Amino acid sequence: ACPGFSIASTTATSTIFTATDNTTYVFSASAIDHTGNISTPVSKTVAIAIRPVVINEIAWAGTSSSRSSDEWIELYNVTDYDIPLTNWVLRSTDNIPYILLTNTIAAKSYFVLERTSSTTILDIIENQIYTGALGNSGEILELSYASTTMDKTPIACASAWCGYGTAGPNYLTMERHDPYSSGDDQFNWGSWASFGASSKNAHNAAIRGTPKRRNSLNYLINKGSVTIGAPVISGAVRAG
């Protein structure tokens, strides 16, 4: 039985059940007539995800001093289902950039958008190219579906990206700590934690971030502190 859900005989044709986020439920019902005949059960699987796709990583400063326009943004699908991105929009609140998303984001997978050129990250194939520069002084990004905001970065990041990620000399990305927690929580973000990266930029220099890989911050047991050896026990913490 599901917690908080009563199982009983009833003549009602509907009921209300309060579901938990990031949970999959299977509802099953049978009908009984006045002579006691029971119908074949009918089942329906329902997956609940308030934020099925989230903004996961932002390279707002580019990848190096000579590639400062090579910005990229990563999305993550927290669900067990492929999600078509038709009618999804990723935008800054000043509408630069304003990106009509295309293609499909696979279940539990990453979706990388590269600005202007597909050579931004040499060792991965981007999922979409976009135009429009992110402001180095800060932005608020919103991810919406059919005009409903599904996820957004913190309001505080309108000023200096909340202090997360860096321009020169290091060009660190801004990473999300937990994809299952709210994106508008300032403390759910931070700078790349200096491990877990392996990608190269257009000049074959190391990218200080984790495109299409689990975020370095997601290996932290507590936000803001690193547990030694945590990358080895990747199964102990949810991916993101």
Side-chain angles (χ1 to χ4, degrees):
C2 297
F5 188 76
S6 299
I7 297 177
S9 298
T10 180
T11 57
T13 57
S14 65
T15 190
I16 296 174
F17 174 67
T18 301
T20 301
D21 193 22
N22 298 310
T23 306
T24 298
Y25 297 90
V26 178
F27 295 92
S28 183
S30 296
I32 305 175
D33 66 18
H34 65 281
T35 62
N37 296 310
I38 303 174
S39 70
T40 302
V42 176
S43 296
K44 180 71 174 180
T45 299
V46 179
I48 306 298
I50 295 174
R51 293 177 295 271
V53 181
V54 299
I55 303 164
N56 200 51
E57 189 170 8
I58 307 165
W60 56 263
T63 60
S64 70
S65 60
S66 61
R67 309 297 303 187
S68 59
S69 63
D70 281 0
E71 300 164 353
W72 55 272
I73 304 168
E74 179 188 81
L75 309 179
Y76 180 66
N77 179 354
V78 305
T79 77
D80 294 320
Y81 302 90
D82 296 351
I83 298 177
L85 292 176
T86 304
N87 296 322
W88 286 75
V89 173
L90 175 63
R91 72 179 188 98
S92 167
T93 50
D94 66 5
N95 285 325
I96 302 173
Y98 185 96
I99 308 165
L100 295 172
L101 297 176
T102 60
N103 304 315
T104 295
I105 182 169
K108 300 291 186 186
S109 294
Y110 305 95
F111 187 100
V112 168
L113 300 103
E114 296 183 0
R115 178 186 166 199
T116 308
S117 171
S118 63
T119 60
T120 296
I121 307 169
L122 284 183
D123 61 326
I124 70 168
I125 299 173
E126 78 287 344
N127 299 95
Q128 187 171 341
I129 300 292
Y130 73 94
T131 58
L134 297 170
N136 284 4
S137 60
E139 298 265 20
I140 302 171
L141 296 182
E142 292 184 349
L143 179 64
S144 62
Y145 172 71
S147 78
T148 298
T149 299
M150 307 300 288
D151 190 38
K152 66 187 298 185
T153 55
I155 293 175
C157 287
S159 176
W161 292 99
C162 303
Y164 301 142
T166 64
N170 295 319
Y171 295 89
L172 310 182
T173 64
M174 174 175 161
E175 288 189 337
R176 192 183 189 120
H177 178 90
D178 182 3
Y180 297 91
S181 297
S182 178
D184 60 10
D185 176 5
Q186 180 177 347
F187 300 101
N188 196 29
W189 293 87
S191 299
W192 174 66
S194 300
F195 63 83
S198 62
S199 292
K200 303 292 185 181
N201 72 3
H203 287 168
N204 206 36
I207 287 178
R208 293 176 172 87
T210 53
K212 288 198 176 182
R213 294 178 178 84
R214 181 178 174 181
N215 285 350
S216 64
L217 294 186
N218 189 247
Y219 288 102
L220 309 188
I221 303 304
N222 297 304
K223 295 176 184 178
S225 63
V226 179
T227 297
I228 302 301
V232 177
I233 55 170
S234 59
V237 184
R238 289 177 298 190

